[in-house]
Amino acid sequence: MEQKLTDLLEELPKNNYNTYYQSSAGRGKHKTIMSTIPSPIAEPFSWDYERTKEFLYRLSEILTPEEAERLNIQFENPSLKDIVPAALAPTVRGGIQLLKPGQKAPTHKHSPNAFRLILEAPADDAYTVVNGVELPMHTGDLVLTPNWTWHDHHNDSSGDVIWFDGLDIIFVYWIGGVFYSLPKGEKSPNTVAEDGNDNFNEYGSGLVPDTVHGELDYDPMFYYPYEKARQALVSLAKTRTGESSVTLEYTNPITGGPVFPSMGLKLTMVRGGKTTPLIQRTENKVVICMEGEGEITLSSGKKIELKSHNVAVIPSWEQHRISSGSSDLVLFTYSDEPIFRAMKLFRENLSK
Ligand code: GTQ
Ligand code: FE2
């Protein structure tokens, strides 16, 4: 029987079959993925911001954004690089992008959803245009470019602008949903409307035009200023004095749900000198440090350093705690939690 089984196990893959049988004679040849608890294909990892920036500047000495379309350095999860290019987590990409004074990143649109979180904007007059709506880029601001919206980036200021891009492109690529388009013809499809537009005040005041209900399949609020988000976080922290940390989710004002069907974006504050309870959730989470310092402690005991704009990725079901230094720690996070929820796969371990 042994020889027959060995022969068959070798013959199956040659004929594009496999088997996961389990018996007293052993088991099929491939790695079991029917694990008792999640066994993610990604690994926890982190990147130092200053080091990432050095690579971005080296690239910027060789190419302009016009030549390169986008001038960016992507974070690549070492466990995923042989499976799909530049994946930070199984569903998302992330990277930092640079726009120097006078530069423009050309107009395009794509089906993957994207957001930009502004990391460094030393002066005014840097902006993104989304479907003809001009949005400022100040440090900490969040700008969305949902599925199939035209966008381009401009820097008319005197200083360099750097932002973090997050996209659900790995998920969209995996299921075969990526479309991409450049403008056709003379007139830009993304020309700014002359009568002006205040995207945040149009949608962000708790009041929305009654015409939008059922009309839009994406979040029409493209701009979430940091000043407002931070204020809301500080207010929440004042009412939850017993908790080590507080978290706010950026929401689509029409649905009250996540800003993208595929990605949830949040802002967390861990109070100075505190450590969170154990966190264990089915979501692939990316953490970007916005203010303060601290660390993430993984179940292995390994620690990830959090300081200005460092980036960390925590795969699904990885147990961790977050600790702050002496001052409050502010973290921006994005994850694929909405996918887990939509698929009824979301779980959370709330034991302390
Ligand atoms: O700025 O529009 O990092 O389209 C990847 C794809 C940024 C962008 C990325 C993009 C962009
Ligand atoms: Fe884009």
Side-chain angles (χ1 to χ4, degrees), residues 78 90 112 142 154 160 166 177-178 256 262 270 293 326 328 332:
L142 173 68
H154 305 255
D160 292 355
V178 176
S262 52
V270 184
E293 293 185 1
S326 53
D328 294 345
F332 177 93

Side-chain angles (χ1 to χ4, degrees), residues 70 108 110 116 151:
R70 293 293 187 264
H108 68 211
H110 35 73
R116 344 220 148 259
H151 54 283

Side-chain angles (χ1 to χ4, degrees), residues 70 72 74 97 108 110 116 151 153 165 167:
R70 293 293 187 264
N72 65 65
Q74 307 278 348
Q97 190 171 160
H108 68 211
H110 35 73
R116 344 220 148 259
H151 54 283
H153 315 301
D165 292 302
L167 291 92

Side-chain angles (χ1 to χ4, degrees), residues 7 51 83 93-94 98 117 125 187 197 207 220 234 274 316 337 342 350:
D7 291 348
R51 188 148 184 265
I83 303 171
R93 260 189 189 166
L98 169 68
L117 176 71
D125 301 323
K187 191 176 177 299
N197 181 302
L207 296 157
V234 169
K274 298 283 184 194
S316 176
E337 175 186 343
L350 293 169

Side-chain angles (χ1 to χ4, degrees), residues 3-177:
Q3 191 55 46
K4 273 190 185 164
L5 190 54
T6 310
D7 291 348
L8 181 56
L9 288 180
E10 270 168 28
E11 209 180 324
L12 282 173
K14 288 182 190 147
N15 290 278
N16 306 306
Y17 296 105
N18 213 319
T19 171
Y20 59 80
Y21 82 91
Q22 297 192 40
S23 76
S24 53
R27 43 182 301 276
K29 272 197 153 177
H30 70 65
K31 175 181 179 243
T32 183
I33 59 173
M34 189 66 88
S35 48
T36 49
I37 59 167
S39 167
I41 57 173
E43 64 183 285
F45 207 78
S46 67
W47 292 263
D48 178 78
Y49 182 60
E50 291 307 320
R51 188 148 184 265
T52 313
K53 236 172 105 169
E54 277 172 32
F55 283 113
L56 185 61
Y57 273 91
R58 277 172 62 187
L59 187 63
S60 79
E61 283 159 18
I62 308 166
L63 291 170
T64 68
E66 300 259 13
E67 286 165 337
E69 175 95 5
R70 293 293 187 264
L71 213 132
N72 65 65
I73 296 292
Q74 307 278 348
F75 299 100
E76 189 167 65
N77 191 303
S79 301
L80 297 174
K81 67 172 140 213
D82 296 329
I83 303 171
V84 56
L88 175 42
T91 47
V92 301
R93 260 189 189 166
I96 63 170
Q97 190 171 160
L98 169 68
L99 206 58
K100 291 187 171 189
Q103 289 184 333
K104 174 184 187 275
T107 313
H108 68 211
K109 64 178 176 178
H110 35 73
S111 54
N113 292 293
F115 70 83
R116 344 220 148 259
L117 176 71
I118 318 309
L119 302 181
E120 294 189 46
D124 269 343
D125 301 323
Y127 56 96
T128 288
V129 183
V130 182
N131 277 0
V133 179
E134 187 178 314
L135 311 160
M137 293 172 120
H138 302 127
T139 305
D141 288 355
L142 173 68
V143 175
L144 309 185
T145 58
N147 179 349
W148 219 235
T149 51
W150 291 107
H151 54 283
D152 42 55
H153 315 301
H154 305 255
N155 185 356
D156 297 342
S157 79
S158 55
D160 292 355
V161 178
I162 298 177
W163 64 82
F164 184 101
D165 292 302
L167 291 92
D168 61 7
I169 186 168
I170 305 299
F171 172 69
V172 182
Y173 168 72
W174 199 249
I175 63 173

Side-chain angles (χ1 to χ4, degrees), residues 235-250:
S235 300
L236 182 65
K238 277 187 189 149
T239 69
R240 302 256 184 100
T241 47
E243 294 171 28
S244 54
S245 71
V246 289
T247 296
L248 284 173
E249 177 161 13
Y250 292 87

